[in-house]
Amino acid sequence: MWFFSVQRMIWLAPMALYAITIFLSAFLLFQVQPLMGKIILPWFGGSAGVWSAALLFFQIVLLAGYAYAHILIRLVKARAQMVVHIALLAASCVLLPIMPSPSWKPAEAGDPTLRILGVLLATIGLPYFLLSVTSPLLQAWSVRRPGSGIPYRLFALSNLGSLLALLSFPLLVEPRLTSKQQVFAWSGMYVVFAGLCAGAAWASRPPSANAGVQPANEASAAEPTDRPGVAQLFLWASLAACASTLLLAITNHMSQNLAPIPLLWVVPLAVYLTTFILTFESDRIYRRWIVLPCLMPVLVGMAYFIWRSPEEVQLKWLIPIFVIGLFLCCMMCHGELARRKPAPQHLTLFYLMVSLGGALGGMFVALIAPHVFRTYLELPLGLLAFSLLAIIVLWNVALPKLGAWPLRAVLVIGVCALAVYMARHNRHTWRNSLRVERNFYGVLSVEVDPEDNPPDRELDHGKVIFGAQMLDPELRYEPTTYYGKSSGVGRAITALEEKGPIRVGVIGLGAGVLLAYGRPGDTYRVYEINPLVVRIAQTGFSFYDHSPADKRILEGDARLTLEHQESQQFDLLAVDAFSGDAIPVHLLTREALALYFRHLKPGGILALHISNLYLDLEPVCTSGAEAFGKQAMLVEDNPPDDSYLYKSDWILMTSDPAWFHKASFNGGKVVPAGAPPGFRAWTDDYSNVFQILKLK
């Protein structure tokens, strides 16, 4: 079976075999990225950082693959290249299917980056490595053949396969197949790829058994060219690193404000790949005088939106400005790379430096930035780095009849103005911060605004408030923000307290405001994945320490912790786990609801905080409630503007509708929750953000 493709493809021209193999390898390479990201996302808290760590893994393995291709072509004899590569292909098939082991789920809270890298390495390390090798290796093999043409066309074909994989995942694959079905379908296609690649390796063998090492295009190059210098290598890597940094930073920015889901991973990555396709397919597509004038207002727009609060930004502007900005920035980076591509005999070195730059950009965003910066500086720094690179690559470009200096002056003045603008806004954003810290899960700050009336101390996660405590001693332990007595969760707790001591579970600690409801005899169990939240809630606020209830914080992902616990028999379980303005999808699926109901008493209440500027989560919760035969009520709280309470939306679910006739539920808007006809309930295998976007 291993060599069936060799016999089936023997009638095809070798170049067609190379093209088909490269296309399929690229398709599989980028189909597996969102697939694996989605499978492991719930294991590590469902935060945007999971995708950043996964992208870092993909870029590092891509770098290793390009290094392998470069060394194999330069240092190994031609026939030995074939033997080594076919042996690795056979070994990789033994590791299929690519289903990650649940043993990799974290047992405790903390930064899971290394664990994410470990599970990906153990699950798809070798297959992904060989897929990443395919494009540069087969391009190098192809140029050995007389009349093979320009190999960079195959690079564009590779990126086309990658783009189709990314677009097909959220539109065709994810809505129709479960994750398990996707794993087995991908594994079967990989076996086909392995056979095709083995056939391509066989077709690349030289006629003589004594053929030595053949550098790329040695047979077809009329004259050898000089090896690129250090400055050229550095520029290749810098352009690739800048594009990679912007890709990850912009993806993070959008995921933190919406939801860390494959859709928001795929769109920026598809834009990134599209620019590769356009710039490497033809020298006529990238035009500096088209891209540059468009870039200037877009850079200003991105810089403006970085520091806007969610209330000031409509979704219909947020996503387009960053997607268009990423497209134009990557067009320039990749267009300048394409203009500087070397002769074919140096193509593996070129790809090696491009992949090195991509890996460095990924390391900067996923590894360095969370441990070095206290705030999200990687996006503004990425924009500044891009602007400086634009000066470098365009320094000697002359305007018709005016020369080079006018363009130089415009670029330098523009970059200086952009740097001053971003520095001032960054300082203004954190001017009232008493404390700012950052880890894998995001940026947390403790804020005191002297203009607030009444004055309070807030815990912010990015631009979203996680709770506040009043500075007035008489109001210090009043429930504030989204948790007041008129909110959905406040009304539920008040109704339950009528029967005596209660057991309450809380997913998401925040500033600990819900602990203000705790009374002697009550039991509160708080599930919190972010150790930084735990530390700040206990040192920067006093709700937790002051509460007389029997209280305890359980660190780690709530779903994983609850899965290992016996039924807690909660009277109420409140789910309030925001990440920025995004809610981890895995906490709202049918499987998650089943877990919550297992830990509730038969007549207990499940309270889901669904306040969100960009997503209408009511249909998601309603369809989940219907699946379990529960009554779901929407409680909207609209306190006065000068109050220390905020507008909030809570969904309350219970099997005992009599709760909603108690006095605590009188007044305000308490109505049955609804969902559009035919709305499909979310599961761990399925979610559709398109259906619930608030575009106004």
Side-chain angles (χ1 to χ4, degrees), residues 21-31 157-159 161-162 165:
T21 306
I22 287 174
F23 181 88
L24 181 58
S25 71
F27 184 88
L28 293 174
L29 193 73
F30 281 84
Q31 185 82 186
L157 178 66
S158 170
N159 284 296
S162 303

Side-chain angles (χ1 to χ4, degrees), residues 31 149 169 295 320 372 387 415 485 494 566 576 588 621 649 676:
Q31 185 82 186
F169 186 84
L295 259 172
V372 173
S387 302
V415 170
K485 294 179 181 178
T494 302
E566 297 293 330
D576 181 40
L588 295 177
C621 300
D649 298 326

